[in-house]
């Protein structure tokens, strides 16, 4: 972004070293410019806004106090790192945010040396920072490791596993680790904030630490008095700060302090930087801080599309297409109305999974378990054991974190849990950390587990109903955003179990000389691209609907009547639906050319979904091109085995 002279302080910052040369008196003005720049930038590109507005001062303070990148800074989740990216040399590239080839929306080690750990999934920061801190000890290096984690991410078991491990001696060594809890779910009134800031500076200072240790040394000679003093200290601190639990983990707890007050943040961080061992700082911030519209509705401005900052988000003149998420949300309410056994579960993705209306209408049957995917799955299993019918609404990429529970607690016991997998396939701007590339492969190999792949909005509703009506576990996968625009019907109709359907039949005769009959087996929403390609190729198209149980009768019939088969799926090729077709053919001794099209064996970058699909060869032109390249325009026919 060219220099505009509207941000004179910010435009002098090409890295944290420039920041550290500023006098502290200029930092509030820098924060104001950074916040204004952030609003202007995200309003043009779209992206995460509320969370980034809430971390402006904290980001400045961290880079001002710590010697980054020598000191390691790890951001949990990472959707609050736009200020960090702007201050670490990427300000001019912010117009490319989340676009193909541009700046990623999350930290990436291959993007900047300041991104010390790649994140996007929640609750990994403390574990990673602990590893970095202990690595420094093993290598004899003097450096600090800082983990910044939100209050939502602290609901995950992994965060507490890391805390439990971080506070202990590791072969006589304690890690120089600072964990910062960025708490944006509460507010501090000015009087209480001032008191907490004063106490935080006092409790993090050398005088307090020396005095406390000195008194402990004297009192240890009289164990009863020492124990009494320890309990009085905990009680006193507990009255002004909820830190006792973290001190039980072995951390020195400081806070809470106002995370927007640089005069409180910087001296507290300076004090903590001088201390050894595990430290815990509790800061309180406000999502959307500094932009009134985002402050008023931080959820709405969590991940907005481009907008006018002066007007905020406005409803589009033309109503957008119905998304698969909305189809799921409406189905969930309708099915809950029809079946009182239905219980809805989400791991902290109420809005993203389309469950707002369900929560409002059926509050007793709605459970947000926090960022705890493992617990969500086993919790569902427990409900199913008692005769209820749980529906776990979860992103494909997040179900990876509950995979053991999916196998051991649900499938092994053959419990009727429905997994509604949103964000299946390519997700676009969020990139490879959020892509649902692997769920077909990791789901279809599990005994007792079914996998349904609807092709459009109408089929999504039918697939969910079909899955719910089973007495065994089932998964329904569907992509982010809207589909082909096929309106969902209001009823609760089902599919024939394990059956696909023919959508198009080739006009070529099976014995036509010089021609080859191609059958495309489409799994999921790529059916429509396959239909377009088939029109140009005069190919047969099957809408398979099920990956498991696979419609083997349909596969074998197409193999008998065609010269080659092509599978198409928006998932990884290895172990995917195409592999299921290949296994079916092999099991029945059918020898026929098989072309498998899907996501390549690499992580697909962030960018426009349509462009990414085209790059992967999964648009209509790409499917047609791949078939012509493999089989030619008029190849010699290869017949299936006689015993097929």
């Amino acid at each position: 972004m060219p220099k505009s002279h509207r941000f004179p302080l910010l435009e002098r910052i090409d890295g944290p070293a420039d920041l550290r040369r500023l006098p502290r008196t200029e930092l509030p003005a820098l924060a104001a410019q950074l916040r204004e720049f952030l609003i202007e930038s995200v309003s043009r590109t779209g992206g995460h806004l509320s969370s980034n507005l809430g971390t402006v001062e904290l980001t400045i303070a961290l880079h001002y106090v710590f010697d980054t990148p020598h000191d390691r800074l790890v951001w949990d989740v990472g959707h609050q790192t736009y200020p960090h990216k702007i201050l670490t040399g990427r300000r001019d590239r912010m117009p490319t945010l989340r676009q193909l080839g541009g700046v990623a929306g999350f930290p990436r080690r291959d993007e900047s040396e300041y991104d010390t750990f790649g994140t996007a999934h929640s609750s990994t920061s403390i574990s990673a920072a602990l590893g970095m801190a202990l690595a420094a000890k093993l290598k004899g290096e003097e450096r600090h490791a800082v983990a910044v984690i939100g209050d939502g991410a602290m609901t995950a078991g992994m965060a507490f596993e890391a805390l439990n491990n971080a506070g202990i001696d590791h072969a006589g060594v304690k890690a120089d680790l600072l964990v910062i809890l960025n708490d944006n779910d509460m507010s501090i009134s000015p009087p209480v904030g001032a008191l907490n800031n004063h106490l935080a500076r006092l409790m993090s200072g050398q005088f307090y630490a020396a005095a406390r240790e000195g008194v402990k040394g004297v009192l240890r000679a009289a164990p009863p008095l020492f124990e009494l003093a320890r309990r009085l200290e905990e009680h006193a601190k507990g009255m002004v700060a909820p830190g006792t639990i973290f001190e039980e983990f072995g951390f020195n707890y400081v806070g809470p302090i106002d995370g927007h007050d640089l005069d409180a943040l910087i001296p507290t961080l300076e004090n903590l930087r001088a201390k050894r061992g595990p430290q815990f700082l509790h800061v309180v911030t406000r999502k959307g801080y500094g932009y009134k519209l985002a402050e008023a509705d931080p959820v709405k401005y969590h991940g907005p599309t481009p907008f006018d900052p002066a007007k905020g988000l406005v409803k589009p003149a033309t109503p957008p297409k119905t998304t698969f998420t909305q189809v799921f949300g409406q189905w969930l309410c309708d099915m809950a109305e029809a079946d009182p056994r239905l219980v809805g579960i989400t791991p902290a993705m109420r809005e993203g999974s389309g469950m707002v209306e369900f929560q409002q209408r059926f509050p007793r049957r709605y459970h947000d378990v926090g960022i705890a995917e493992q617990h969500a799955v086993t919790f569902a299993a427990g409900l199913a054991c008692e005769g209820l019918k749980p529906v776990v609404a979860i992103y494909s990429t997040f179900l990876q974190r509950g995979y053991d529970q999916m196998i051991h607690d649900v499938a092994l016991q053959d419990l009727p849990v429905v997994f509604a997998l949103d964000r299946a396939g390519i997700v676009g701007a969020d990139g490879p950390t959020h892509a649902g590339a692997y769920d077909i492969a990791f789901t279809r190999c599990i005994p007792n587990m079914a996998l349904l792949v609807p092709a459009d909005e109408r089929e999504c509703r039918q697939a969910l109903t079909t899955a719910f009506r089973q007495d065994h576990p089932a998964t329904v996968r569907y992509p982010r955003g809207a589909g082909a625009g096929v309106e969902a019907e209001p009823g609760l109709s089902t599919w024939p179990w394990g059956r696909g359907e023919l959508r198009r039949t080739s006009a070529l005769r099976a014995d036509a000389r010089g021609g080859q009959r191609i059958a495309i087996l489409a799994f999921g929403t790529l059916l429509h691209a396959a239909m377009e390609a088939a029109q140009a190729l005069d190919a047969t198209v099957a809408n398979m609907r099920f990956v498991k149980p696979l419609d083997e009768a349909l596969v074998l019939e197409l193999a008998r009547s065609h010269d080659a088969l092509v599978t198409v799926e928006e998932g990884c090729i290895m172990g995917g639906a195409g592999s299921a077709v290949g296994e079916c053919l092999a099991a029945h001794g059918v020898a026929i050319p098989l072309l498998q099209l899907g996501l390549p064996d690499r992580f697909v970058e962030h960018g426009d979904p349509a462009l990414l699909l085209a790059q992967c060869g999964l648009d209509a032109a790409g499917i047609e091109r791949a078939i012509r390249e493999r089989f030619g325009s008029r190849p010699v026919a290869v017949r299936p085995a006689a015993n097929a």
Side-chain angles (χ1 to χ4, degrees):
M1 186 176 289
K3 294 186 183 300
S4 65
H5 305 294
R6 294 179 48 234
F7 309 104
L9 276 177
L10 181 61
E11 290 173 355
R12 288 163 50 190
I13 308 300
D14 293 320
D18 298 325
L19 170 65
R20 291 190 278 270
R21 282 192 282 268
L22 292 178
R24 276 179 51 180
T25 54
E26 293 190 354
L27 296 185
L30 175 65
Q33 291 179 27
L34 177 53
R35 181 168 279 109
E36 185 180 353
F37 180 91
L38 182 65
I39 295 170
E40 185 177 295
S41 178
V42 175
S43 72
R44 293 174 177 171
T45 62
H48 294 101
L49 184 60
S50 296
S51 53
N52 283 287
L53 291 173
T55 58
V56 167
E57 288 82 6
L58 178 59
T59 304
I60 291 173
L62 284 168
H63 283 295
Y64 193 79
V65 171
F66 288 93
D67 183 20
T68 55
H70 176 77
D71 290 331
R72 310 305 197 210
L73 181 56
V74 181
W75 299 89
D76 208 282
V77 183
H79 61 199
Q80 76 280 46
T81 54
Y82 297 179
H84 162 80
K85 288 174 182 273
I86 293 167
L87 294 175
T88 55
R90 287 166 277 185
R91 181 185 68 249
D92 292 344
R93 295 187 63 211
M94 288 302 287
T96 70
L97 180 70
R98 290 160 44 103
Q99 299 168 32
L100 185 61
V103 174
F106 300 94
R108 288 183 55 152
R109 283 171 54 83
D110 60 1
E111 185 176 285
S112 170
E113 64 179 334
Y114 293 94
D115 293 359
T116 60
F117 196 77
T119 54
H121 282 198
S122 168
S123 316
T124 60
S125 61
I126 303 175
S127 298
L130 175 60
M132 294 174 180
L134 288 177
K137 295 285 188 181
L138 291 171
K139 294 163 66 179
E141 298 173 349
E142 286 291 328
R143 71 171 83 246
H144 290 79
V146 182
V148 183
I149 184 170
D151 54 300
M154 285 294 291
T155 64
M158 185 175 178
F160 283 90
E161 291 172 14
L163 288 173
N164 186 55
N165 190 228
I168 65 173
D169 286 345
H170 296 265
V173 175
K174 281 200 170 186
D176 291 332
L177 170 68
L178 170 60
V179 174
I180 298 177
L181 173 60
N182 177 29
D183 183 351
N184 52 35
D185 197 36
M186 59 177 285
S187 59
I188 306 176
S189 60
V192 177
L195 175 62
N196 278 329
N197 292 342
H198 173 73
L199 289 174
R201 286 195 294 271
L202 176 66
M203 291 161 60
S204 66
Q206 293 300 318
F207 174 78
Y208 172 82
R212 181 174 63 175
E213 293 306 313
V215 171
K216 284 183 178 180
V218 173
L219 292 179
R220 281 193 180 96
L225 292 177
F226 174 76
E227 178 63 17
L228 175 62
R230 185 187 68 80
R231 292 189 178 187
L232 285 173
E233 180 191 32
E234 287 186 356
H235 179 69
K237 289 178 71 174
M239 290 175 64
V240 295
T244 304
I245 183 173
F246 300 109
E247 296 215 335
E248 291 296 329
F249 278 117
F251 284 77
N252 173 50
Y253 173 89
V254 174
I257 66 171
D258 185 348
H260 300 297
D261 185 351
L262 286 164
D263 289 333
L265 280 171
I266 289 176
T268 301
L269 288 172
E270 288 174 338
N271 286 335
L272 291 172
R273 186 172 185 265
K275 298 174 77 67
R276 298 297 182 188
Q279 308 295 320
F280 194 101
L281 174 62
H282 184 175
V283 304
V284 177
T285 61
R286 184 172 182 177
K287 284 186 176 180
Y289 185 78
Y291 182 46
K292 292 187 180 300
L293 295 174
E295 286 186 30
D297 195 344
V299 172
K300 184 178 180 181
Y301 285 85
H302 172 72
T305 55
F307 65 98
D308 181 348
K311 298 179 180 178
L313 295 174
V314 296
K315 291 184 178 181
T318 302
K321 289 183 179 180
T322 301
T323 66
F324 282 94
T325 301
Q326 291 170 326
V327 170
F328 165 75
Q330 187 58 58
W331 170 84
L332 190 67
C333 292
D334 293 346
M335 183 55 77
E337 191 74 50
D339 193 330
R341 297 174 300 166
L342 185 149
V343 177
I345 302 168
T346 179
M349 296 304 296
R350 182 190 65 168
E351 288 80 14
S353 292
M355 299 183 72
V356 174
E357 183 181 351
F358 177 79
Q359 181 202 20
Q360 295 169 348
R361 291 179 56 186
F362 305 96
R364 294 188 61 192
R365 294 155 66 182
Y366 167 82
H367 297 276
D368 183 344
V369 300
I371 303 175
E373 293 86 359
Q374 294 170 297
H375 164 62
V377 177
T378 304
F379 172 54
L383 291 167
C385 285
E386 298 302 317
L388 298 181
K389 295 292 290 287
V391 176
V392 180
I394 189 169
Y395 289 8
S396 169
T397 184
F398 298 150
L399 182 58
Q400 294 164 188
R401 310 185 80 178
Y403 189 53
D404 176 69
Q405 289 70 24
M406 190 181 189
I407 296 173
H408 187 272
D409 299 335
V410 175
L412 183 61
Q413 303 185 92
D414 200 21
L415 295 171
V417 176
V418 173
F419 295 93
L421 264 59
D422 205 325
R423 272 63 167 181
I426 287 174
V427 294
D430 282 337
T433 56
H434 283 59
Y438 313 109
D439 56 79
I440 294 177
F442 73 61
T443 299
R444 76 173 192 87
C445 64
I446 304 175
N448 297 330
M449 183 68 68
L451 176 56
L452 291 71
V453 285
D456 52 44
E457 297 87 342
R458 179 178 299 169
E459 287 205 343
C460 184
R461 185 177 175 94
Q462 294 169 336
L464 289 163
T465 305
T466 304
F468 187 81
R469 293 270 166 81
Q470 306 307 307
D471 291 323
H472 54 76
T475 299
V476 180
R477 78 184 307 257
Y478 46 91
R480 179 178 187 171
V486 181
E487 186 176 354
E489 296 174 341
L492 295 171
S493 60
T494 60
W495 288 338
W497 185 250
R499 298 284 300 277
E501 62 166 6
L502 283 177
R503 282 290 184 98
R504 186 184 192 280
T505 303
S506 170
L508 280 173
R509 294 176 55 190
D511 59 352
R513 293 188 178 183
Q516 186 170 9
R517 298 191 83 203
I518 304 293
I520 304 174
L521 285 65
F523 293 86
T525 53
L526 292 184
L527 168 70
H528 302 280
M531 289 287 288
E532 187 177 340
Q535 187 68 31
L537 295 163
D538 189 22
T540 296
V541 178
N543 174 23
M544 297 303 295
R545 288 182 168 172
F546 291 82
V547 176
K548 185 179 183 183
L550 182 68
D551 189 345
E552 294 193 352
L554 180 56
V555 171
L556 295 175
E557 174 56 33
L558 292 172
R560 292 187 185 98
S561 57
H562 292 75
D563 303 304
L565 301 183
V566 179
T567 60
V568 180
E569 61 191 297
E570 195 174 335
C572 62
I573 294 174
M574 289 192 290
S579 296
V581 171
E583 292 160 11
C584 170
L585 295 171
H588 290 85
V590 177
I592 184 172
L594 174 64
L595 173 61
Q596 299 175 29
L597 301 179
L599 297 180
D601 186 25
R602 60 177 172 82
F603 294 110
V604 178
E605 293 300 319
H606 57 273
D608 177 76
L611 179 58
L612 295 175
L613 282 173
Q615 287 194 344
C616 294
L618 294 177
D619 60 347
I623 294 170
E624 178 186 348
R625 182 173 58 251
I627 293 174
R628 290 191 186 279
E629 288 176 354
R630 172 67 180 274
F631 302 113
S633 298
R634 301 178 69 83
V636 177
V638 179
R639 305 302 307 151
N643 63 345

